[in-house]
Amino acid sequence: EKNGYDHFMLKEIFEQPQTIFDSLRGRMDAHKNQITLSGIDAIADKIMAARRIIIVACGTSWHSALVAEYVIEELCRINVEVEYASEFRYRNPIISSEDVIIAISQSGETADTLVALENAKEQGATIYGLVNVVGSSIARISNAGSYTHAGPEIGVASTKAYTAQLAVLQLIALKIAKLKGTIDDQKFTYFIQQLDAVPEKVQWILDNQVEEIQRIAKKYSDANDVLYLGRGYNFPTALEGALKLKEISYIHAEGYPAAEMKHGPIALVDETLPVIFVATKDSYHEKIVSNIQEIKARKGKIIAIVSEGDNRVEELADDIMVVPSCDEIIAPLLAAIPLQLLAYYIGVERGLDVDQPRNLAKSVTVE
Ligand code: F6R
């Protein structure tokens, strides 16, 4: 069932043009210029009246929540808070019927997320579930929701479920922005077109970057530590890249907002430290270029994810992974792909069981 791929993880990475298409299909009409999400319609009055949206998740799903925080606040002008389910459930949070909680979970069975939702529901909050596994516990406890439609994810490390979450979260943000009137028609159309182009852009990465990423993976496969840095919409991408590497290669990795490095992690930098910058063209670009220069001045090895045609970062970096240009809001969907591939090929290079990393389970049903 691996369809000729060596591992489920690789198969699932390569499925992403299709799974992203599937999570958008039937919900987004680029011609009619509309988004259909019956789950959002079902709780539209609650969303319109919401004081804030709280997103609750764990692990990789928590990273897609962070991206959503940036996107929803930008497009919908609603206050969004992102919570680790395990912390949220134990710290007696202030919740009321004016709160909408979005729960994100691939499995729909993560114990901490489930209990956090039960508590919030008891206190009157409205629960929206964004879940991959149909009929799972989190799907059932939710007042409304959407499925991600990524299909079964077998590899323990989440890949296609993550990008499906990102795709549907973009739709949710656009749909709410339209309801609230915080986006004009022209921008709405523009974002729909941007989303519509994502599957083919992901395919471009898979068709054009794999050999280079394999080469980079070989070059850095015996690193002891790797630092991942990003800003803005791609700050969560840095966290997710670091988590993938830890899980699959057992290399210590940390993700940070790029500007935070001078508050500590920069002390780690020497000629042996690979530093991965998520440096796609966005409104933070000048800032991240300065961060790259700061690492270079301290002789760190620079690996950068860059937008096609960005010669400036290419000149500064030791190695680059290229992604097609897109709007900055969409960029996390593309930038995730090279980082998944890098973690995968480093794990393979180190001879590890990438589908079943030690100590990990696909679904964490105990706290
Ligand atoms: C990472 C990974 C985990 C899960 C986390 C939440 O690759 O798979 O971090 O993301 O255990 O799981 P779900 O999304 O099923 O609630």
Side-chain angles (χ1 to χ4, degrees), residues 16-36:
Q16 289 174 110
Q18 184 64 45
T19 50
I20 294 168
F21 178 80
D22 289 343
S23 55
L24 299 171
R25 179 173 56 187
R27 292 172 164 167
M28 193 179 75
D29 190 327
H31 299 293
K32 286 203 205 124
N33 206 18
Q34 67 185 25
I35 289 169
T36 311

Side-chain angles (χ1 to χ4, degrees), residues 261 266 269-271 275 277 289-302 316 318:
M261 70 182 186
I266 201 162
V269 179
D270 64 14
E271 64 286 351
V275 183
F277 278 93
V289 170
S290 328
N291 297 138
I292 293 176
Q293 283 159 337
E294 286 156 8
I295 295 289
K296 202 173 166 70
R298 289 160 183 87
K299 302 197 164 52
K301 294 280 173 290
I302 291 155
L316 291 169
D318 294 276

Side-chain angles (χ1 to χ4, degrees), residues 278-282 285-286 288-289 292 304-317 320-323 325:
V278 190
T280 50
K281 270 273 169 67
D282 54 23
H285 198 61
E286 283 304 313
I288 209 157
V289 170
I292 293 176
I305 298 185
V306 302
S307 302
E308 230 178 330
D310 182 359
N311 302 326
R312 184 133 168 259
V313 174
E314 186 170 357
E315 276 164 27
L316 291 169
I320 58 162
M321 302 182 270
V322 182
V323 297
S325 301

Side-chain angles (χ1 to χ4, degrees), residues 323-344:
V323 297
S325 301
C326 67
D327 187 89
E328 61 181 352
I329 286 183
I330 313 287
L333 270 158
L334 301 184
I337 313 292
L339 296 181
Q340 295 168 349
L341 287 164
L342 186 68
Y344 172 78

Side-chain angles (χ1 to χ4, degrees), residues 89-90 111-112 364-367:
R89 66 179 278 201
Y90 284 116
D112 281 324
V364 184
T365 52
V366 291
E367 68 166 299

